Amino acid sequence: MSAPDVLGRDYLEVRNLTVEFDGFKAVDGVDLTLLQGRLHFLIGPNGAGKTTVVDALTGLVPATGMARYRDHDLLTSKSHQIVRAGIGRTFQTATVFERLSVLQNLDIAGGIHRKAWRMPFARRATPDYVEHALETIGLADQRDRPAGVLAHGQKQWLEIGMLLVQDAKVMFLDETVAGMSHEERDATGELLRRIGSERTTVVIEHDMDFVRNFADVVTVMHAGKVLAEGTLAEIQSDERVQDVYLGRAATAMEGIA
Ligand code: ADP
Ligand code: MG
């Protein structure tokens, strides 16, 4: 077995991650250890640097420091290499192809692992892994509908399905449940639990009920830095966390302090 941590789990390790935009440190010396099988939540006020951390780890912005997953040095890899290494993400705005069917969206997303010569054969039947993803995200009965007509929550689940067919072992979900109904949030949390045991899942989220119901570990970011990390109970009792949220975003953190 190659290089797992002491618990024998896969993990993604980030040390002193720093991203500068014109001298402004949007991410400033962030350390994270993201373990397989846990639902990690990344929270913090708008502008804290959460999305920029994910951008840095997925090859979209240059960064300094260290970020490693298995044998991959993420900070020197190109974004397509990072996807092939098993690291996937969603974006704050949905990126499904609205005119294509649910099935076509999944098939295209799965194409990154398919050899070009196999493409014509793959079209004859729905590949097993696409079928499996459809079932997992609960959209099997929507397979032939254009993605554009799906409900908001279903579109987000389709995006998660697109990560599943890419065989993402690490999933960054950037505000995936924003705008969802209560029922959709719960369904999403249950979905993440189902698929999360063999993956490393990082959820950027504002809704504290959702965090409370589903987070195993919570990291609080503020002004580019990690302010606190632990269980929800641990960060709730952290005075620095209370100060940030009472001072800057009391409503977003309703009930936490
Ligand atoms: P969050 O996701 O926590 O709301 P972001 O990571 O989007 O925060 O942004 C962190 C900070 O970096 C913000 O001040 C934002 O304006 C700034 N920022 C993000 N992307 C860029 C960019 N491409 N160029 C300049 N500044 C940026
Ligand atoms: Mg963001």
Side-chain angles (χ1 to χ4, degrees), residues 180-210:
M180 283 189 188
S181 70
H182 250 293
E183 292 72 23
E184 288 174 328
R185 280 168 201 232
D186 285 346
T188 304
E190 297 301 338
L191 169 61
L192 296 182
R193 278 205 182 131
R194 280 201 303 282
I195 64 179
S197 60
E198 60 211 31
R199 293 186 172 79
T200 299
T201 312
V202 181
V203 184
I204 296 177
E205 198 33 64
H206 287 295
D207 180 75
M208 292 314 297
D209 280 333
F210 188 68

Side-chain angles (χ1 to χ4, degrees), residues 44-52 55 89 92 174-175 204 206:
N46 272 333
K50 306 179 297 295
T51 296
T52 306
D55 288 347
R89 69 170 299 175
Q92 279 180 254
D174 199 350
E175 303 203 12
I204 296 177
H206 287 295

Side-chain angles (χ1 to χ4, degrees), residues 58-59 73-83:
T58 53
D73 174 352
L74 303 182
L75 302 191
T76 58
S77 302
K78 303 243 183 292
S79 49
H80 69 273
Q81 296 171 317
I82 292 172
V83 171

Side-chain angles (χ1 to χ4, degrees), residues 77-211:
S77 302
K78 303 243 183 292
S79 49
H80 69 273
Q81 296 171 317
I82 292 172
V83 171
R84 282 174 186 272
I87 297 175
R89 69 170 299 175
T90 66
F91 290 86
Q92 279 180 254
T93 47
T95 53
V96 300
F97 296 104
E98 305 248 320
R99 293 185 184 194
L100 299 184
S101 71
V102 167
L103 196 58
Q104 286 169 324
N105 270 279
L106 290 172
D107 207 19
I108 288 170
I112 64 145
H113 288 308
R114 210 177 301 144
K115 297 267 194 305
W117 63 267
R118 291 188 55 198
M119 286 287 210
F121 301 102
R123 301 251 170 262
R124 280 193 286 177
T126 308
D128 284 351
Y129 63 92
V130 171
E131 201 68 57
H132 189 243
L134 265 174
E135 295 290 336
T136 304
I137 60 178
L139 295 183
D141 58 346
Q142 308 284 325
R143 58 201 296 147
D144 296 321
R145 302 186 77 200
V149 307
L150 296 178
H152 174 71
Q154 292 177 320
K155 268 187 206 167
Q156 301 296 320
W157 300 333
L158 177 54
E159 295 226 14
I160 293 173
M162 289 160 77
L163 299 182
L164 294 179
V165 297
Q166 286 171 20
D167 201 21
K169 300 288 190 234
V170 180
M171 301 192 303
F172 292 103
L173 306 176
D174 199 350
E175 303 203 12
T176 293
V177 309
M180 283 189 188
S181 70
H182 250 293
E183 292 72 23
E184 288 174 328
R185 280 168 201 232
D186 285 346
T188 304
E190 297 301 338
L191 169 61
L192 296 182
R193 278 205 182 131
R194 280 201 303 282
I195 64 179
S197 60
E198 60 211 31
R199 293 186 172 79
T200 299
T201 312
V202 181
V203 184
I204 296 177
E205 198 33 64
H206 287 295
D207 180 75
M208 292 314 297
D209 280 333
F210 188 68
V211 176

